[in-house]
Amino acid sequence: MATRIVTLPGDGIGPEILAPTVDLLQRFVADVEVEEHVFGGASIDAHGTALTDDVLAACKRADAVLLAAVGGPKWDTTDATKPRPEQGLLGLRKGLGLYANLRPVRPLPALYDASPLRREIIDGTDLLVVRELTGGIYFGEKTRTETTASDLCAYSVEEIERIARTAFEAARKTARHKVSSVDKANVLETSRLWRQTVVALHEAEFSDVTLEHVLVDNAAMQLISNPRSFDVIVTENLFGDILSDEAAMLTGSIGMLPSASLGRRSDPPTPGLFEPVHGSAPDIAGQGVANPLAMFLSLALLLRHGLALESEALALESAVDKALDQGLRTRDLGGTASTAEATAAVLAALG
Ligand code: NAD
Ligand code: IPM
Ligand code: MN
């Protein structure tokens, strides 16, 4: 049976970086059916909502979902009654039950000089941010009056335990076997439950993994002063969002960071969602200059986690590395290569 992939180009640079990625997908997966749908702002324009029931249903039927990015000034509003592209993304994550967001940060020596950080700070960094993706302040009750507003941050033991399990299992596969749980337990009640739950799971099942707790403000500082101290970082939804953009700068650009969002692994398994960490970059949309590498590396994660094609994933990652070693630099990395030239460089490296 053919492998079914739903693709969601979204908005801004989304279609520009997704098109070459679909070509790559077809090179790596022989019998693949690609089903493209409008999503985000484009879907608001077409259907009045960022995620239609039909598109959610199509994603549920797929083997994996490949998403570029959503959002843009056209749909920016502070009016809570108007639809926003980002609601589509949140609806998709929630609708597919994708609670575990993996954001690997693997700075390449070839790009050390593209980072605003010094080479000796970056050298040897290889970390994974495990971000809880379907709970916390993103999904709590929201209230709004003329003069006040609130967003509730809530977590249950079950939600914390399953994401902590993902992190401990990931750490068992690294050389250092270390988890840094990032919270704000000196202030927030949710963080105290988080810490207590992580400790209990660690003691019961993962005592072979080293566990440390880092307060989020300190973690933000350590990420750029001593990034080598991290192996696997596990944290709640909002902290993970912020820390992963910060960590992207270790790789030289937000245009380098891929992500995998995963849910239930059986009974039945949920399809994963694979997307770059960056947004729709409205400031450079339509110019053909976006860096497609985070999107290509998200395809590599789809091959690895979504389709269990590990050697294909490695081949694509190696081709990206090789193209960069050979001098490929898009504008965000201080060079002049266009999206098309970056694509050609990766294809040439694939041989
Ligand atoms: P952004 O990530 O889109 O852009 C931030 C900066 O990084 C911009 O200067 C942009 O040009 C640059 N950049 C991002 N990706 C790049 C790439 N691949 N190549 C070269 N440069 C790149 O963040 P923003 O400007 O804060 O948000 C723009 C819109 O995207 C907003 O509507 C936001 O909600 C949305 N957004 C969507 C996602 C997503 O779809 N997953 C993620 C983040 C932001
Ligand atoms: C991300 C994005 C999203 C988030 C937005 C667009 C809803 O910033 O994927 O990191 O905050 O999760
Ligand atoms: Mn983000």
Side-chain angles (χ1 to χ4, degrees), residues 201-219:
L201 182 67
H202 178 246
E203 280 172 7
E205 295 181 41
F206 294 98
S207 50
D208 54 311
V209 175
T210 304
L211 171 65
E212 69 170 1
H213 305 279
V214 189
L215 295 171
V216 64
D217 44 356
N218 181 22

Side-chain angles (χ1 to χ4, degrees), residues 144-149:
R144 174 83 174 265
T145 70
E146 283 280 299
T147 51
T148 65

